[in-house]
Amino acid sequence: MPKNSKAVKRELDEDVTESVKDLLSNEDACDDSFKKTSLIVNNHEGEGKECDLEEGGSDGEEEERPAWNSKLQYILAQVGFSVGLGNVWRFPYLCQKNGGGAYLVPYFILLVLIGIPLFFLELAVGQRIRRGSIGVWNYISPRLGGIGFASCVVCFFVALYYNVIISWSLFYFSQSFQQPLPWHECPLVKNKTSTYVVPECEKSSATTYYWYREALNISDSISEGGGLNWKMTLCLLAAWSMVCLAMIKGIQSSGKVMYFSSLFPYVVLICFLVRSLLLKGSVDGIRHMFTPKLEIMLEAKVWREAATQVFFALGLGFGGVIAFSSYNKRDNNCHFDAVLVSFINFFTSVLATLVVFAVLGFKANIMNSKCVELNTKRIVALLGNGIQESLIPHHINLTQANQVSAEDYRLMIDVIQRVKENDFSTLGLETCSIEDELNKAVQGTGLAFIAFTEAMTHFPASPFWSVMFFLMLVNLGLGSMFGTIEGILTPLIDTFKVRKEFLTVGCCVLAFSIGLLFVQRSGNYFVTMFDDYSATLPLLIVVILENMAIAWFYGIDKFFEDLKDMLGFTPYRFYYYMWKYITPILLLVLLCSSFVQLIMTPPSYSAWIQDEAREQKLGFPPWGIVVCISLVVMAIMPVPVVFGLRYFNIIDENNSGISTVSYKKGRIIKETARPGEDDDTSLIQGKSPSEVPSPMPGNSIYRKQSGGGGPDADTAPNGRYGIGYLMADMPDMPESDL
């Protein structure tokens, strides 16, 4: 372990060490037998091993836990994990679809009622118990230990396809160093006699054709595998290599990367906002966004989608939040962190929405101008043959179709519609409205790789903006990937004590191998499948169980005592009622509505039909439906399996029991709880941030006088087993002060 980790670790335990030293100084200086006290550590086979407390513990002592180098590094890690691609391409779509600015109201309300309380809860348990998700929930209740394993499974499923999206961004990033951009216009096909535009591109658009044919080379259905797309395979290899190199040393390596991966997207978003505001039509897009449609707020669907977005925006249930906070100092103010990161996430979503609508407003203005020019030429062709010249206002000059403004065109169309009311549809004229263009809702890959790329082709110095945009997407994706992978590695390392380097490389190699499924020609359809079915229901169930484990199994009053001990103040009573009543009820309602929607909506996906050059909704084949169901079942299966194994005593619950700990000079020596002691002992009893009970069985420790005697020779006048409990029996000194 790096030396600086040990130094930080020493600082974490400074208050514990000083308290014990002060206490020891009060002992009688002549009590040589007390000074020379040693510990005998008996393992379960009965072999004894003697270690001197003054020497700082045995060589077999648990390895010290690394810590963040600074508070800023930790905050950036949490922000990088919570702020991801969904903030850029999911939130603006929901805002556009669900009432514009009015959507921000239910989103903010649910952020306060669901998001912040649950985010605070995960930060607190991770920081207090200092373990990954598996160790944390084993500690809270061994029968609910499957929650941690379920989080790991969901993280693995999400990591599989999330890194494919990063590989797509890497491909576009690599293709952006060209002038003009390769998706600027449709490619031409030359033969011996003529040159013509590729039919698939002519029927759709240049950016749509480039996405589906050049980048993905997509097949017509999920059943047509079509072999590997070698370009995307190389990009996926590069994406997993970056993740592996950044994570191989844990937070010591990934923490440094966070300075760039978390801050760079904000620089790009601000630059895009400033640049787009200087473009014609951007104000129309922003006005469209903030024009509230208040009647839509009354629909239950809007609230359900807002709750789902809050839930996934903060990364709840993945285990990444718990993993990152487990490397914190014991007295860190995690309540402040929860509120800060939640509001940073919210304002990032609003900033990204401003940028998206400003750029889409610029694009809508361009598309509207093209529409006006095209239809003006149609009107000129119809003059005297279906349209009388007298219908055209005198101030409009039709000889220069490209000079006709959108207002003048609208005036012409209104007159023609009134006069030719019955025959207007036969004329083949379009209304050409900017509002109609802005109402064409796009999200996800359609927004990032089609709509946004098309808008950027009209930017001055478009290659520069394209490089910046896709580099931003790569960084947003990597920040979330770091938290997702940490949600897998930290619990497994804490539980199975494997080397981080080996586990990291093994996990990335395995994920890349399985990820080849997503870079075949039909891979985009599998990404859709995993995105829809591998995370939504399992994560909702996981978070409901997390909330219930703290509020009902561990005890909300006991948890508040732990928070007071850890933070130095009692959290607002608001959280008491949220955790115990409001949030679980809201989550159960959300789970039921999501489950009903899943049942009522047959599993389907949007397939790209090459001959027709358009998307078509297709149902999954029978084997695809089986895979969808299997994803949900596999993700949640660890919860009932672990519960059953614990309930029927196939696995002894004491294997995850609480250990008591003795302290000396910042070191830790564990001992198994007595048979009669309550397994629900408060988190604050005899625990410091540097110590965390391992899921593995502890060793039995008792005290021995240097002058001889057996285990019963001395029971320690001021404690049950050793120095760690000298303060426990003092009425004026709470045990949590250790």
Side-chain angles (χ1 to χ4, degrees), residues 103 277 308 656 669:
Y103 173 74
L277 287 175
T308 305
S656 300
I669 304 172

Side-chain angles (χ1 to χ4, degrees), residues 210-329:
Y210 191 87
W211 166 241
Y212 284 118
R213 191 56 48 212
E214 296 293 336
L216 299 181
N217 193 20
I218 200 166
S219 60
D220 285 354
S221 73
I222 195 172
S223 301
E224 302 173 24
L228 290 178
N229 180 340
W230 67 269
K231 293 180 289 189
M232 287 304 171
T233 303
L234 292 177
C235 291
L236 182 63
L237 178 62
W240 275 114
S241 299
M242 288 192 296
V243 172
C244 184
L245 291 174
M247 298 297 298
I248 198 164
K249 291 293 185 183
I251 62 170
Q252 303 302 325
S253 55
S254 64
K256 295 179 176 61
V257 179
M258 290 294 178
Y259 286 110
F260 181 77
S261 65
S262 297
L263 293 175
F264 180 74
Y266 290 96
V267 175
V268 176
L269 283 174
I270 292 171
C271 290
F272 259 99
L273 181 61
V274 172
R275 183 67 190 91
S276 59
L277 287 175
L278 300 176
L279 298 172
K280 181 181 178 182
S282 60
V283 177
D284 295 327
I286 294 176
R287 187 188 301 117
H288 178 81
M289 169 197 164
F290 281 109
T291 302
K293 303 178 181 65
L294 298 177
E295 66 280 0
I296 298 181
M297 279 181 58
L298 302 177
E299 298 179 13
K301 181 188 67 167
V302 174
W303 289 82
R304 179 179 58 80
E305 292 188 343
T308 305
Q309 179 62 17
V310 166
F311 185 83
F312 289 107
L314 293 174
L316 301 173
F318 282 94
V321 174
I322 293 175
F324 280 151
S325 66
S326 71
Y327 300 112
N328 256 335
K329 292 182 179 180

Side-chain angles (χ1 to χ4, degrees), residues 714-736:
D714 182 28
T715 57
N718 291 311
R720 287 176 287 179
Y721 293 101
I723 295 176
Y725 291 94
L726 286 171
M727 300 176 71
D729 296 330
M730 298 173 65
D732 58 341
M733 183 63 68
E735 190 171 357
S736 59

Side-chain angles (χ1 to χ4, degrees), residues 24 27-39 50 52-54 703-709 713-718 721-723 726:
L24 290 175
E27 295 294 335
D28 187 354
C30 298
D31 189 0
D32 293 332
S33 63
F34 181 84
K35 286 183 176 181
K36 295 178 181 178
T37 296
S38 61
L39 292 180
E50 202 169 293
D52 186 4
L53 276 175
E54 294 295 325
R703 192 169 183 182
K704 172 191 162 187
Q705 291 289 348
S706 59
D714 182 28
T715 57
N718 291 311
Y721 293 101
I723 295 176
L726 286 171

Side-chain angles (χ1 to χ4, degrees), residues 189-196:
V189 178
K190 296 182 180 180
N191 57 24
K192 294 181 180 179
T193 58
S194 63
T195 301
Y196 60 93

Side-chain angles (χ1 to χ4, degrees), residues 67-269:
W68 297 102
N69 290 333
S70 66
K71 180 65 175 283
L72 175 62
Q73 192 180 83
Y74 164 68
I75 292 295
L76 290 178
Q78 290 286 16
V79 169
F81 175 53
S82 65
V83 175
L85 297 171
N87 296 75
V88 174
W89 66 30
R90 177 71 178 165
F91 187 89
Y93 161 76
L94 292 174
C95 194
Q96 178 184 21
K97 176 185 173 186
N98 295 318
Y103 173 74
L104 299 178
V105 176
Y107 184 87
F108 185 80
I109 291 173
L110 291 169
L111 178 68
V112 173
L113 296 181
I114 293 179
I116 294 178
L118 290 175
F119 196 63
F120 179 28
L121 184 145
E122 289 201 355
L123 288 179
V125 295
Q127 180 176 312
R128 194 63 190 88
I129 303 174
R130 294 179 64 78
R131 279 289 181 267
S133 54
I134 295 176
V136 161
W137 302 114
N138 263 333
Y139 186 100
I140 297 297
S141 175
R143 292 183 181 180
L144 295 178
I147 296 175
F149 287 99
S151 292
C152 287
V153 174
V154 173
C155 278
F156 187 71
F157 284 160
V158 171
L160 287 176
Y161 75 84
Y162 204 85
N163 223 19
V164 175
I165 300 174
I166 297 177
S167 69
W168 294 342
S169 303
L170 283 173
F171 174 77
Y172 268 79
F173 172 74
S174 66
Q175 299 298 309
S176 297
F177 296 91
Q178 303 178 43
Q179 176 68 24
L181 292 169
W183 50 84
H184 176 69
E185 56 188 7
C186 287
L188 300 175
V189 178
K190 296 182 180 180
N191 57 24
K192 294 181 180 179
T193 58
S194 63
T195 301
Y196 60 93
V197 177
V198 176
E200 185 181 3
C201 186
E202 191 174 22
K203 293 176 184 177
S204 53
S205 69
T207 50
T208 304
Y209 170 81
Y210 191 87
W211 166 241
Y212 284 118
R213 191 56 48 212
E214 296 293 336
L216 299 181
N217 193 20
I218 200 166
S219 60
D220 285 354
S221 73
I222 195 172
S223 301
E224 302 173 24
L228 290 178
N229 180 340
W230 67 269
K231 293 180 289 189
M232 287 304 171
T233 303
L234 292 177
C235 291
L236 182 63
L237 178 62
W240 275 114
S241 299
M242 288 192 296
V243 172
C244 184
L245 291 174
M247 298 297 298
I248 198 164
K249 291 293 185 183
I251 62 170
Q252 303 302 325
S253 55
S254 64
K256 295 179 176 61
V257 179
M258 290 294 178
Y259 286 110
F260 181 77
S261 65
S262 297
L263 293 175
F264 180 74
Y266 290 96
V267 175
V268 176
L269 283 174

Side-chain angles (χ1 to χ4, degrees), residues 431-659:
T431 54
C432 297
S433 167
I434 290 180
E435 289 297 317
D436 292 341
E437 286 291 334
L438 288 171
N439 282 329
K440 294 177 181 177
V442 287
Q443 66 164 322
T445 54
L447 174 63
F449 299 108
I450 297 177
F452 222 86
T453 50
E454 184 176 350
M456 285 188 296
T457 58
H458 302 290
F459 276 33
S462 55
F464 168 77
W465 293 105
S466 182
V467 167
M468 294 285 282
F469 177 70
F470 289 110
L471 186 58
M472 177 191 73
L473 290 188
V474 170
N475 278 276
L476 283 172
L478 286 177
S480 297
M481 273 298 294
F482 293 156
T484 304
I485 298 297
E486 198 68 56
I488 302 171
L489 299 180
T490 299
L492 295 179
I493 291 168
D494 290 343
T495 305
F496 301 108
K497 307 302 178 188
V498 293
R499 285 199 60 174
K500 181 140 197 160
E501 294 85 350
F502 295 154
L503 184 61
T504 303
V505 173
C507 179
C508 291
V509 170
L510 176 63
F512 170 73
S513 303
I514 300 175
L516 294 176
L517 173 72
F518 303 102
V519 290
Q520 56 180 340
R521 290 185 60 196
S522 60
N524 187 43
Y525 306 138
F526 285 98
V527 170
T528 302
M529 176 192 289
F530 271 67
D531 190 33
D532 289 341
Y533 296 98
S534 69
T536 308
L537 281 179
L539 279 181
L540 276 171
I541 295 172
V542 163
V543 174
I544 289 172
L545 291 175
E546 287 182 357
N547 196 162
M548 292 176 64
I550 292 295
W552 301 98
F553 286 84
Y554 182 72
I556 196 70
D557 295 310
K558 198 183 301 182
F559 189 57
F560 256 65
E561 291 175 8
D562 297 339
L563 289 174
K564 181 179 180 181
D565 172 71
M566 187 167 62
L567 302 176
F569 62 89
T570 304
Y572 299 114
R573 202 68 180 169
F574 164 81
Y575 292 106
Y576 182 94
Y577 297 107
M578 287 295 106
W579 287 331
K580 195 165 186 178
Y581 304 111
I582 307 299
T583 305
I585 292 172
L586 291 176
L587 288 174
L588 286 171
V589 171
L590 179 59
L591 177 64
C592 293
S593 63
S594 299
F595 190 71
V596 169
Q597 186 201 22
L598 205 62
I599 293 175
M600 295 181 64
T601 307
S604 60
Y605 63 100
S606 293
W608 178 257
I609 310 301
Q610 183 174 2
D611 294 337
E612 301 175 14
R614 66 181 181 87
E615 288 185 340
Q616 182 178 333
K617 208 78 171 175
L618 297 179
F620 284 113
W623 63 265
I625 296 176
V626 171
V627 173
C628 293
I629 296 173
S630 300
L631 289 173
V632 177
V633 172
M634 282 192 293
I636 207 63
M637 185 58 70
V639 175
V641 168
V642 172
F643 181 86
L645 293 175
R646 299 285 194 195
Y647 183 81
F648 294 106
N649 291 324
I650 299 174
I651 297 179
D652 187 7
E653 291 191 17
N654 290 331
N655 287 346
S656 300
I658 296 176
S659 301

Side-chain angles (χ1 to χ4, degrees), residues 393-404:
H394 298 294
H395 69 280
I396 299 177
N397 182 12
L398 294 180
T399 57
Q400 294 180 320
N402 59 347
Q403 298 297 323
V404 176

